[in-house]
Amino acid sequence: MNASTKLLERRRSVVPPGVGQFAGETTAVSGRGAHLIDADGKEYLDLAGGIGVINVGHCDERVVAAIREQAGKLLHTCIHVATYEPYVALCEKLVELLPHGGTTKAMLVNSGAEAVENAVKIARQATGRSAVLCFTEAFHGRTMMGMTLTSKTKYKVGCGPFAPEVYRVRYPRPFHEGAGLPEEEFARRELGLLEETLANRVAAEQLAAIIIEPVLGEGGFIPAPLAYLRGLRELCDRHGILLICDEVQSGFCRTGRWAAYEHADIVPDLSTWAKSMGGGMPIAAVVGRAAVMDAARPGTIGGTYGGNPVACAAALATIAVMEDLNLNERASRIGGIVRERFDRLAAQSELVGDVRGLGAMIGLELCHGRDPRRPAGEAMAAVAASCRERGVLVLPAGRDGNVLRVLSPLVITDEDLDRGLTAIEESVLALTETTTA
Ligand SMILES: Cc1ncc(COP(=O)(O)O)c(C=O)c1O
Protein backbone atom coordinates (compact mmCIF):
# COMPACT_ATOMS: atom_id res chain seq x y z
CA MET A 1 0.00 0.00 0.00
CA ASN A 2 1.50 3.37 -0.97
CA ALA A 3 1.67 6.38 1.34
CA SER A 4 -1.29 8.19 -0.29
CA THR A 5 -3.55 5.16 0.08
CA LYS A 6 -2.54 4.80 3.74
CA LEU A 7 -3.24 8.48 4.43
CA LEU A 8 -6.62 8.31 2.70
CA GLU A 9 -7.51 5.22 4.74
CA ARG A 10 -6.61 7.06 7.95
CA ARG A 11 -8.76 9.98 6.79
CA ARG A 12 -11.74 7.73 6.13
CA SER A 13 -11.58 6.22 9.61
CA VAL A 14 -11.61 9.56 11.48
CA VAL A 15 -13.02 12.23 9.09
CA PRO A 16 -16.71 11.98 8.09
CA PRO A 17 -17.57 11.83 4.38
CA GLY A 18 -19.62 15.05 4.72
CA VAL A 19 -16.26 16.83 4.47
CA GLY A 20 -16.33 16.31 0.71
CA GLN A 21 -13.50 15.71 -1.75
CA PHE A 22 -13.47 17.61 -5.03
CA ALA A 23 -10.21 16.60 -6.70
CA GLY A 24 -10.36 12.81 -6.44
CA GLU A 25 -8.25 11.00 -3.91
CA THR A 26 -5.34 13.41 -4.03
CA THR A 27 -2.95 13.85 -1.12
CA ALA A 28 -0.51 16.72 -0.57
CA VAL A 29 2.68 17.06 1.42
CA SER A 30 4.19 20.21 -0.01
CA GLY A 31 3.60 22.91 -2.58
CA ARG A 32 5.65 25.46 -4.48
CA GLY A 33 4.38 27.90 -7.09
CA ALA A 34 1.89 26.02 -9.28
CA HIS A 35 3.03 22.58 -8.11
CA LEU A 36 1.91 20.15 -5.43
CA ILE A 37 3.76 17.05 -4.27
CA ASP A 38 1.68 14.16 -2.92
CA ALA A 39 2.46 11.68 -0.15
CA ASP A 40 4.28 9.39 -2.61
CA GLY A 41 6.39 12.15 -4.12
CA LYS A 42 4.26 12.46 -7.28
CA GLU A 43 4.13 15.98 -8.66
CA TYR A 44 0.88 17.63 -9.78
CA LEU A 45 0.32 20.81 -11.71
CA ASP A 46 -2.29 22.54 -9.60
CA LEU A 47 -5.02 24.22 -11.67
CA ALA A 48 -7.37 24.01 -8.67
CA GLY A 49 -5.36 26.45 -6.55
CA GLY A 50 -6.92 25.27 -3.28
CA ILE A 51 -10.31 26.42 -4.70
CA GLY A 52 -9.14 29.88 -5.68
CA VAL A 53 -6.85 30.58 -2.73
CA ILE A 54 -3.44 30.30 -4.29
CA ASN A 55 -3.31 33.19 -6.79
CA VAL A 56 0.25 34.03 -5.60
CA GLY A 57 1.30 30.38 -5.78
CA HIS A 58 2.03 27.82 -3.08
CA CYS A 59 4.42 28.90 -0.34
CA ASP A 60 5.64 32.15 -1.88
CA GLU A 61 8.91 32.92 -0.11
CA ARG A 62 7.89 36.43 0.95
CA VAL A 63 4.58 35.24 2.35
CA VAL A 64 6.27 32.43 4.29
CA ALA A 65 8.92 34.84 5.62
CA ALA A 66 6.22 37.30 6.80
CA ILE A 67 4.39 34.47 8.58
CA ARG A 68 7.62 33.32 10.29
CA GLU A 69 8.51 36.83 11.40
CA GLN A 70 5.05 37.63 12.78
CA ALA A 71 4.80 34.22 14.48
CA GLY A 72 7.91 35.06 16.48
CA LYS A 73 6.41 38.38 17.69
CA LEU A 74 2.72 37.88 18.41
CA LEU A 75 0.52 34.90 17.59
CA HIS A 76 -2.70 36.14 19.09
CA THR A 77 -4.30 38.64 21.39
CA CYS A 78 -7.75 39.25 19.80
CA ILE A 79 -8.62 42.65 18.32
CA HIS A 80 -11.31 43.08 20.98
CA VAL A 81 -8.62 42.90 23.69
CA ALA A 82 -5.67 44.83 22.29
CA THR A 83 -5.03 46.72 19.05
CA TYR A 84 -2.11 45.41 16.99
CA GLU A 85 -0.51 46.95 13.94
CA PRO A 86 -0.97 44.16 11.32
CA TYR A 87 -4.79 44.32 11.70
CA VAL A 88 -4.83 48.09 11.20
CA ALA A 89 -2.25 47.95 8.39
CA LEU A 90 -4.27 45.35 6.49
CA CYS A 91 -7.48 47.38 6.83
CA GLU A 92 -5.56 50.45 5.61
CA LYS A 93 -4.37 48.48 2.58
CA LEU A 94 -7.85 47.14 1.84
CA VAL A 95 -9.50 50.55 1.90
CA GLU A 96 -6.71 51.93 -0.32
CA LEU A 97 -7.17 49.16 -2.93
CA LEU A 98 -10.95 48.91 -2.68
CA PRO A 99 -12.49 52.34 -2.15
CA HIS A 100 -16.27 52.13 -1.67
CA GLY A 101 -17.04 55.77 -2.41
CA GLY A 102 -15.83 58.46 -0.02
CA THR A 103 -14.46 57.12 3.22
CA THR A 104 -14.15 53.35 3.36
CA LYS A 105 -13.71 51.00 6.32
CA ALA A 106 -12.89 47.31 6.72
CA MET A 107 -13.25 44.57 9.34
CA LEU A 108 -11.54 41.19 9.40
CA VAL A 109 -12.82 37.66 9.95
CA ASN A 110 -11.62 34.12 9.21
CA SER A 111 -13.50 32.79 6.21
CA GLY A 112 -15.64 33.77 3.26
CA ALA A 113 -18.79 32.51 4.94
CA GLU A 114 -18.06 34.60 8.01
CA ALA A 115 -17.52 37.67 5.82
CA VAL A 116 -20.94 37.08 4.25
CA GLU A 117 -22.59 36.65 7.66
CA ASN A 118 -21.11 39.92 8.87
CA ALA A 119 -21.95 41.83 5.70
CA VAL A 120 -25.61 40.84 6.13
CA LYS A 121 -25.60 41.88 9.80
CA ILE A 122 -24.04 45.23 8.90
CA ALA A 123 -26.55 45.82 6.07
CA ARG A 124 -29.48 45.09 8.37
CA GLN A 125 -28.25 47.46 11.04
CA ALA A 126 -27.46 50.19 8.51
CA THR A 127 -30.88 50.06 6.85
CA GLY A 128 -33.14 48.93 9.70
CA ARG A 129 -34.58 46.42 7.18
CA SER A 130 -34.52 42.66 7.44
CA ALA A 131 -34.86 41.02 4.02
CA VAL A 132 -32.01 39.96 1.76
CA LEU A 133 -32.22 39.11 -1.92
CA CYS A 134 -29.84 36.59 -3.46
CA PHE A 135 -29.54 34.58 -6.65
CA THR A 136 -30.03 31.14 -8.06
CA GLU A 137 -26.70 29.33 -8.62
CA ALA A 138 -25.15 31.39 -5.81
CA PHE A 139 -22.61 30.02 -3.34
CA HIS A 140 -21.95 32.04 -0.19
CA GLY A 141 -20.57 29.48 2.28
CA ARG A 142 -21.62 26.84 4.78
CA THR A 143 -22.62 28.79 7.89
CA MET A 144 -26.37 29.08 8.39
CA MET A 145 -26.85 32.43 6.62
CA GLY A 146 -24.23 31.47 4.02
CA MET A 147 -26.05 28.22 3.35
CA THR A 148 -29.43 29.95 3.21
CA LEU A 149 -28.09 32.35 0.59
CA THR A 150 -26.49 29.46 -1.31
CA SER A 151 -28.66 28.07 -4.05
CA LYS A 152 -27.44 24.57 -4.95
CA THR A 153 -29.66 22.19 -2.99
CA LYS A 154 -26.98 19.47 -2.95
CA TYR A 155 -24.98 21.72 -0.61
CA LYS A 156 -27.93 22.20 1.78
CA VAL A 157 -30.00 19.04 1.87
CA GLY A 158 -31.07 18.05 5.36
CA CYS A 159 -29.48 21.11 6.98
CA GLY A 160 -32.53 23.36 7.39
CA PRO A 161 -34.56 25.10 8.61
CA PHE A 162 -32.76 28.03 7.06
CA ALA A 163 -32.68 31.72 7.95
CA PRO A 164 -35.92 33.63 7.29
CA GLU A 165 -36.34 36.72 5.12
CA VAL A 166 -34.12 35.52 2.27
CA TYR A 167 -35.52 35.80 -1.27
CA ARG A 168 -34.03 34.55 -4.50
CA VAL A 169 -34.10 35.71 -8.10
CA ARG A 170 -32.63 34.11 -11.23
CA TYR A 171 -28.93 34.79 -11.87
CA PRO A 172 -28.45 36.15 -15.40
CA ARG A 173 -26.83 33.30 -17.38
CA PRO A 174 -26.62 34.17 -21.09
CA PHE A 175 -25.68 30.65 -22.27
CA HIS A 176 -28.56 29.02 -20.40
CA GLU A 177 -31.31 31.60 -20.62
CA GLY A 178 -30.09 34.12 -23.18
CA ALA A 179 -31.31 32.31 -26.32
CA GLY A 180 -29.11 34.44 -28.57
CA LEU A 181 -30.38 37.78 -27.22
CA PRO A 182 -27.92 40.71 -27.45
CA GLU A 183 -26.32 41.28 -24.04
CA GLU A 184 -28.05 44.61 -23.29
CA GLU A 185 -31.46 43.19 -24.13
CA PHE A 186 -30.83 40.05 -22.11
CA ALA A 187 -29.71 42.15 -19.13
CA ARG A 188 -32.84 44.28 -19.40
CA ARG A 189 -35.08 41.22 -19.49
CA GLU A 190 -33.39 39.67 -16.44
CA LEU A 191 -33.60 42.96 -14.52
CA GLY A 192 -37.31 42.84 -15.30
CA LEU A 193 -37.50 39.55 -13.36
CA LEU A 194 -35.98 41.34 -10.42
CA GLU A 195 -38.55 44.13 -10.59
CA GLU A 196 -41.23 41.45 -10.72
CA THR A 197 -39.83 39.87 -7.56
CA LEU A 198 -40.06 43.26 -5.83
CA ALA A 199 -43.70 43.50 -6.87
CA ASN A 200 -44.71 39.94 -5.96
CA ARG A 201 -42.43 38.51 -3.29
CA VAL A 202 -40.67 41.14 -1.24
CA ALA A 203 -41.17 44.90 -1.23
CA ALA A 204 -38.09 47.01 -2.01
CA GLU A 205 -38.63 48.90 1.29
CA GLN A 206 -38.13 45.63 3.19
CA LEU A 207 -34.84 44.78 1.50
CA ALA A 208 -31.67 45.53 3.41
CA ALA A 209 -29.41 44.20 0.68
CA ILE A 210 -28.98 42.39 -2.58
CA ILE A 211 -25.98 40.06 -2.55
CA ILE A 212 -24.40 38.95 -5.81
CA GLU A 213 -21.24 37.25 -7.04
CA PRO A 214 -20.20 39.44 -10.01
CA VAL A 215 -18.83 36.20 -11.47
CA LEU A 216 -20.48 33.00 -10.24
CA GLY A 217 -17.82 30.78 -8.65
CA GLU A 218 -19.23 27.41 -7.56
CA GLY A 219 -22.22 28.22 -9.77
CA GLY A 220 -20.21 27.74 -12.95
CA PHE A 221 -17.81 30.64 -13.64
CA ILE A 222 -20.46 32.80 -15.25
CA PRO A 223 -19.90 36.56 -15.32
CA ALA A 224 -23.11 38.56 -14.88
CA PRO A 225 -23.51 40.80 -17.94
CA LEU A 226 -21.92 44.16 -17.12
CA ALA A 227 -25.16 45.93 -18.07
CA TYR A 228 -26.95 43.77 -15.50
CA LEU A 229 -24.54 44.78 -12.73
CA ARG A 230 -24.98 48.45 -13.66
CA GLY A 231 -28.76 48.01 -13.65
CA LEU A 232 -28.56 46.33 -10.25
CA ARG A 233 -26.55 49.27 -8.87
CA GLU A 234 -29.13 51.68 -10.23
CA LEU A 235 -32.04 49.66 -8.80
CA CYS A 236 -30.39 49.53 -5.37
CA ASP A 237 -29.82 53.30 -5.42
CA ARG A 238 -33.42 53.92 -6.40
CA HIS A 239 -34.77 51.91 -3.47
CA GLY A 240 -32.16 52.52 -0.76
CA ILE A 241 -31.09 48.87 -0.91
CA LEU A 242 -27.43 48.08 -0.16
CA LEU A 243 -25.51 46.25 -2.85
CA ILE A 244 -23.16 43.55 -1.53
CA CYS A 245 -20.66 42.09 -3.98
CA ASP A 246 -19.28 38.73 -2.89
CA GLU A 247 -15.73 38.71 -4.26
CA VAL A 248 -14.54 35.75 -2.21
CA GLN A 249 -13.65 33.69 -5.31
CA SER A 250 -13.37 36.41 -7.97
CA GLY A 251 -11.28 38.92 -5.99
CA PHE A 252 -7.57 39.64 -5.68
CA CYS A 253 -6.40 39.51 -9.31
CA ARG A 254 -8.36 36.47 -10.52
CA THR A 255 -10.29 38.51 -13.12
CA GLY A 256 -7.40 40.84 -13.91
CA ARG A 257 -8.60 43.43 -11.37
CA TRP A 258 -8.64 43.60 -7.59
CA ALA A 259 -12.43 43.28 -7.80
CA ALA A 260 -14.56 41.76 -10.55
CA TYR A 261 -17.13 44.56 -10.05
CA GLU A 262 -14.56 47.03 -11.41
CA HIS A 263 -15.19 45.60 -14.89
CA ALA A 264 -18.72 47.05 -14.69
CA ASP A 265 -17.53 50.42 -13.34
CA ILE A 266 -19.72 50.04 -10.30
CA VAL A 267 -18.94 50.30 -6.60
CA PRO A 268 -20.90 48.22 -4.09
CA ASP A 269 -21.88 49.48 -0.63
CA LEU A 270 -20.34 46.39 0.96
CA SER A 271 -18.09 43.65 -0.35
CA THR A 272 -16.77 40.35 0.98
CA TRP A 273 -13.25 38.97 0.50
CA ALA A 274 -11.32 35.86 1.49
CA LYS A 275 -9.46 33.07 -0.33
CA SER A 276 -6.53 34.54 -2.34
CA MET A 277 -6.31 37.60 -0.09
CA GLY A 278 -4.46 35.50 2.51
CA GLY A 279 -2.15 33.53 0.23
CA GLY A 280 -3.24 30.33 2.02
CA MET A 281 -3.86 31.62 5.55
CA PRO A 282 -7.44 31.78 6.83
CA ILE A 283 -8.41 35.42 6.67
CA ALA A 284 -11.35 37.31 5.21
CA ALA A 285 -12.76 40.82 5.18
CA VAL A 286 -15.85 42.94 4.84
CA VAL A 287 -15.12 46.26 3.16
CA GLY A 288 -17.71 48.99 2.91
CA ARG A 289 -18.76 52.60 2.82
CA ALA A 290 -17.85 54.08 6.19
CA ALA A 291 -21.38 55.30 6.90
CA VAL A 292 -22.67 51.76 6.38
CA MET A 293 -19.86 50.01 8.26
CA ASP A 294 -20.18 52.42 11.20
CA ALA A 295 -23.85 51.47 11.64
CA ALA A 296 -22.91 48.13 13.19
CA ARG A 297 -23.21 48.44 16.96
CA PRO A 298 -20.17 47.53 19.07
CA GLY A 299 -20.21 43.84 19.92
CA THR A 300 -22.33 42.78 16.93
CA ILE A 301 -19.44 41.97 14.56
CA GLY A 302 -15.99 40.44 15.01
CA GLY A 303 -14.79 37.36 16.85
CA THR A 304 -11.91 35.78 18.75
CA TYR A 305 -9.62 35.03 15.81
CA GLY A 306 -10.80 37.52 13.17
CA GLY A 307 -7.75 39.29 11.75
CA ASN A 308 -5.26 37.07 13.54
CA PRO A 309 -1.84 38.82 13.46
CA VAL A 310 -0.09 36.01 11.55
CA ALA A 311 -2.89 35.83 8.99
CA CYS A 312 -2.78 39.65 8.61
CA ALA A 313 0.98 39.54 8.02
CA ALA A 314 0.44 36.83 5.40
CA ALA A 315 -2.27 38.88 3.67
CA LEU A 316 -0.13 42.03 3.63
CA ALA A 317 2.78 40.08 2.12
CA THR A 318 0.44 38.39 -0.37
CA ILE A 319 -0.93 41.71 -1.57
CA ALA A 320 2.62 43.11 -1.84
CA VAL A 321 3.59 40.13 -4.04
CA MET A 322 0.49 40.70 -6.19
CA GLU A 323 1.47 44.34 -6.67
CA ASP A 324 5.13 43.55 -7.24
CA LEU A 325 4.47 40.87 -9.87
CA ASN A 326 1.54 42.81 -11.34
CA LEU A 327 -0.67 39.76 -11.10
CA ASN A 328 -3.67 41.66 -12.47
CA GLU A 329 -1.87 42.02 -15.79
CA ARG A 330 -0.66 38.43 -15.61
CA ALA A 331 -4.25 37.24 -15.02
CA SER A 332 -5.41 39.05 -18.14
CA ARG A 333 -2.64 37.40 -20.15
CA ILE A 334 -3.40 33.95 -18.71
CA GLY A 335 -7.09 34.50 -19.46
CA GLY A 336 -6.26 35.36 -23.07
CA ILE A 337 -4.19 32.19 -23.52
CA VAL A 338 -6.79 29.95 -21.85
CA ARG A 339 -9.67 31.44 -23.79
CA GLU A 340 -7.90 31.04 -27.12
CA ARG A 341 -7.12 27.38 -26.42
CA PHE A 342 -10.63 26.66 -25.12
CA ASP A 343 -12.24 28.41 -28.11
CA ARG A 344 -10.16 26.20 -30.39
CA LEU A 345 -11.22 23.15 -28.38
CA ALA A 346 -14.86 24.21 -28.66
CA ALA A 347 -14.52 24.23 -32.44
CA GLN A 348 -13.18 20.65 -32.31
CA SER A 349 -15.50 19.10 -29.73
CA GLU A 350 -19.26 19.19 -29.61
CA LEU A 351 -19.05 18.45 -25.90
CA VAL A 352 -17.95 22.05 -25.34
CA GLY A 353 -21.08 24.16 -25.05
CA ASP A 354 -19.64 27.43 -23.79
CA VAL A 355 -16.36 29.18 -23.02
CA ARG A 356 -16.69 32.28 -20.86
CA GLY A 357 -15.19 34.28 -18.04
CA LEU A 358 -13.35 37.39 -17.00
CA GLY A 359 -9.55 37.59 -16.87
CA ALA A 360 -8.16 34.27 -15.67
CA MET A 361 -11.53 33.16 -14.26
CA ILE A 362 -12.47 31.02 -17.25
CA GLY A 363 -15.04 28.23 -17.37
CA LEU A 364 -15.49 25.52 -19.99
CA GLU A 365 -19.02 24.11 -19.95
CA LEU A 366 -19.49 20.55 -21.16
CA CYS A 367 -22.90 19.66 -22.63
CA HIS A 368 -24.05 16.95 -25.00
CA GLY A 369 -24.48 18.41 -28.46
CA ARG A 370 -23.57 21.85 -27.04
CA ASP A 371 -27.09 21.99 -25.61
CA PRO A 372 -27.30 23.82 -22.24
CA ARG A 373 -30.27 21.60 -21.33
CA ARG A 374 -28.08 18.49 -21.62
CA PRO A 375 -25.29 19.07 -19.08
CA ALA A 376 -22.48 16.51 -19.22
CA GLY A 377 -21.51 16.19 -15.55
CA GLU A 378 -20.26 12.64 -16.08
CA ALA A 379 -17.99 13.90 -18.91
CA MET A 380 -16.55 16.56 -16.59
CA ALA A 381 -15.84 13.89 -13.96
CA ALA A 382 -14.08 11.79 -16.61
CA VAL A 383 -12.05 14.81 -17.80
CA ALA A 384 -10.99 15.60 -14.22
CA ALA A 385 -9.95 11.96 -13.67
CA SER A 386 -8.04 11.87 -16.96
CA CYS A 387 -6.26 15.17 -16.17
CA ARG A 388 -5.32 13.81 -12.76
CA GLU A 389 -3.82 10.70 -14.40
CA ARG A 390 -1.73 13.13 -16.44
CA GLY A 391 -0.62 14.93 -13.29
CA VAL A 392 -2.93 17.95 -13.60
CA LEU A 393 -5.55 18.90 -10.99
CA VAL A 394 -8.73 20.58 -12.19
CA LEU A 395 -12.02 21.30 -10.44
CA PRO A 396 -15.63 21.09 -11.54
CA ALA A 397 -18.23 23.79 -10.95
CA GLY A 398 -21.84 24.47 -11.86
CA ARG A 399 -25.22 23.17 -10.79
CA ASP A 400 -24.61 19.90 -12.66
CA GLY A 401 -20.86 19.71 -12.04
CA ASN A 402 -20.30 20.03 -15.81
CA VAL A 403 -18.09 23.14 -15.87
CA LEU A 404 -14.32 22.93 -15.79
CA ARG A 405 -13.04 25.96 -13.91
CA VAL A 406 -9.47 27.17 -14.22
CA LEU A 407 -8.09 28.41 -10.91
CA SER A 408 -4.38 28.06 -11.62
CA PRO A 409 -1.96 30.09 -9.54
CA LEU A 410 -1.33 33.33 -11.44
CA VAL A 411 2.42 32.78 -11.06
CA ILE A 412 2.17 29.73 -13.34
CA THR A 413 4.76 29.77 -16.15
CA ASP A 414 3.63 29.76 -19.79
CA GLU A 415 5.19 26.28 -20.16
CA ASP A 416 3.21 24.85 -17.24
CA LEU A 417 0.03 26.52 -18.44
CA ASP A 418 0.59 24.93 -21.85
CA ARG A 419 1.08 21.53 -20.19
CA GLY A 420 -2.14 21.93 -18.18
CA LEU A 421 -4.21 23.06 -21.14
CA THR A 422 -2.84 20.24 -23.29
CA ALA A 423 -3.97 17.73 -20.63
CA ILE A 424 -7.46 19.28 -20.63
CA GLU A 425 -7.66 19.32 -24.43
CA GLU A 426 -6.50 15.72 -24.80
CA SER A 427 -8.91 14.57 -22.09
CA VAL A 428 -11.90 16.33 -23.68
CA LEU A 429 -11.00 15.17 -27.20
CA ALA A 430 -10.52 11.55 -26.10
CA LEU A 431 -13.98 11.69 -24.59
CA THR A 432 -15.48 13.39 -27.64
CA GLU A 433 -14.23 10.46 -29.74
CA THR A 434 -15.77 7.86 -27.44
CA THR A 435 -19.08 9.69 -26.99
CA THR A 436 -19.52 10.36 -30.72
CA ALA A 437 -18.11 6.98 -31.91
C1 LIG B 1 -18.34 33.47 -3.66
C2 LIG B 1 -18.08 32.72 -2.38
N1 LIG B 1 -18.54 33.22 -1.23
C3 LIG B 1 -18.32 32.62 -0.05
C4 LIG B 1 -17.61 31.43 0.00
C5 LIG B 1 -17.35 30.78 1.32
O1 LIG B 1 -16.03 30.92 1.67
P1 LIG B 1 -15.37 29.99 2.80
O2 LIG B 1 -15.30 28.61 2.23
O3 LIG B 1 -14.03 30.61 3.06
O4 LIG B 1 -16.27 30.07 3.98
C6 LIG B 1 -17.09 30.88 -1.18
C7 LIG B 1 -16.32 29.63 -1.15
O5 LIG B 1 -16.10 28.97 -2.13
C8 LIG B 1 -17.33 31.54 -2.40
O6 LIG B 1 -16.87 31.05 -3.56
Side-chain angles (χ1 to χ4, degrees):
M1 192 189 291
N2 67 21
S4 289
T5 310
K6 270 190 218 148
L7 184 59
L8 288 160
E9 237 174 49
R10 283 169 59 201
R11 170 179 174 154
R12 269 191 291 277
S13 59
V14 289
V15 181
V19 182
Q21 269 173 294
F22 259 148
E25 304 247 285
T26 309
T27 59
V29 169
S30 62
R32 178 74 60 193
H35 300 263
L36 274 179
I37 307 293
D38 81 0
D40 294 294
K42 178 173 173 176
E43 182 249 335
Y44 286 94
L45 180 63
D46 183 8
L47 302 190
I51 320 192
V53 170
I54 305 295
N55 284 1
V56 290
H58 290 283
C59 295
D60 177 275
E61 273 173 19
R62 284 162 284 185
V63 176
V64 173
I67 291 169
R68 285 211 171 98
E69 194 190 334
Q70 183 57 45
K73 278 196 225 158
L74 182 70
L75 280 177
H76 176 75
T77 171
C78 181
I79 195 64
H80 306 302
V81 173
T83 298
Y84 44 93
E85 210 265 344
Y87 189 111
V88 178
L90 180 55
C91 290
E92 285 169 349
K93 191 69 200 172
L94 292 174
V95 305
E96 173 203 319
L97 291 178
L98 307 163
H100 277 48
T103 314
T104 303
K105 288 194 176 176
M107 57 92 59
L108 305 175
V109 285
N110 303 293
S111 68
E114 238 189 292
V116 167
E117 294 279 336
N118 282 282
V120 170
K121 286 190 287 180
I122 294 167
R124 283 177 166 164
Q125 293 185 77
T127 57
R129 305 172 178 182
S130 57
V132 181
L133 189 78
C134 59
F135 288 84
T136 59
E137 322 303 330
F139 186 86
H140 296 291
R142 292 187 172 85
T143 53
M144 214 31 119
M145 177 52 84
M147 206 180 240
T148 306
L149 296 169
T150 289
S151 180
K152 190 167 173 171
T153 49
K154 190 178 146 203
Y155 286 141
K156 320 166 54 151
V157 66
C159 297
F162 298 107
E165 284 304 292
V166 171
Y167 301 84
R168 197 177 304 281
V169 71
R170 185 163 90 183
Y171 193 92
R173 301 187 303 162
F175 175 60
H176 305 84
E177 272 101 28
L181 282 181
E183 187 174 302
E184 292 273 334
E185 205 176 319
F186 172 67
R188 213 171 317 122
R189 191 191 74 190
E190 297 298 297
L191 285 164
L193 288 181
L194 219 163
E195 298 278 4
E196 215 172 282
T197 298
L198 300 185
N200 288 303
R201 293 192 178 178
V202 58
E205 305 81 67
Q206 267 177 263
L207 273 179
I210 297 179
I211 181 164
I212 188 166
E213 293 161 82
V215 184
L216 282 176
E218 294 291 318
F221 273 37
I222 305 174
L226 302 182
Y228 187 91
L229 291 175
R230 290 189 201 112
L232 198 58
R233 177 69 274 181
E234 189 276 323
L235 181 140
C236 285
D237 287 342
R238 202 163 7 107
H239 295 292
I241 302 166
L242 299 180
L243 178 62
I244 306 175
C245 286
D246 183 345
E247 294 272 1
V248 166
Q249 195 155 159
S250 53
F252 285 94
C253 307
R254 177 52 49 189
T255 72
R257 306 277 177 91
W258 295 107
Y261 61 71
E262 290 175 40
H263 291 272
D265 282 327
I266 60 160
V267 179
D269 301 289
L270 291 164
S271 55
T272 51
W273 309 84
K275 292 196 184 266
S276 274
M277 172 180 139
M281 292 294 276
I283 186 153
V286 181
V287 180
R289 241 180 337 112
V292 173
M293 296 289 283
D294 285 344
R297 290 160 190 82
T300 59
I301 56 175
T304 304
Y305 292 112
N308 165 272
V310 181
C312 286
L316 283 162
T318 298
I319 295 168
V321 172
M322 287 171 169
E323 287 178 319
D324 192 38
L325 301 180
N326 199 351
L327 287 193
N328 278 317
E329 201 178 297
R330 178 73 186 141
S332 303
R333 181 166 152 70
I334 289 172
I337 294 170
V338 174
R339 190 181 277 270
E340 196 191 317
R341 296 277 292 264
F342 281 180
D343 281 342
R344 214 183 316 152
L345 181 61
Q348 291 171 273
S349 167
E350 63 168 33
L351 260 180
V352 178
D354 195 25
V355 176
R356 59 187 175 238
L358 275 181
M361 194 165 181
I362 305 280
L364 178 82
E365 177 148 355
L366 302 183
C367 308
H368 297 288
R370 302 198 174 102
D371 182 350
R373 289 160 303 176
R374 295 172 62 211
E378 71 301 333
M380 176 56 221
V383 167
S386 156
C387 284
R388 198 168 157 272
E389 286 274 298
R390 293 160 204 253
V392 176
L393 293 183
V394 296
L395 285 181
R399 186 201 293 184
D400 300 292
N402 63 323
V403 179
L404 188 152
R405 53 174 147 169
V406 177
L407 279 170
S408 72
L410 301 174
V411 294
I412 192 170
T413 61
D414 283 352
E415 294 69 35
D416 277 338
L417 185 59
D418 176 58
R419 186 183 134 210
L421 293 172
T422 301
I424 293 169
E425 286 159 355
E426 288 176 359
S427 303
V428 171
L429 289 175
L431 212 59
T432 311
E433 276 159 30
T434 49
T435 50
T436 53

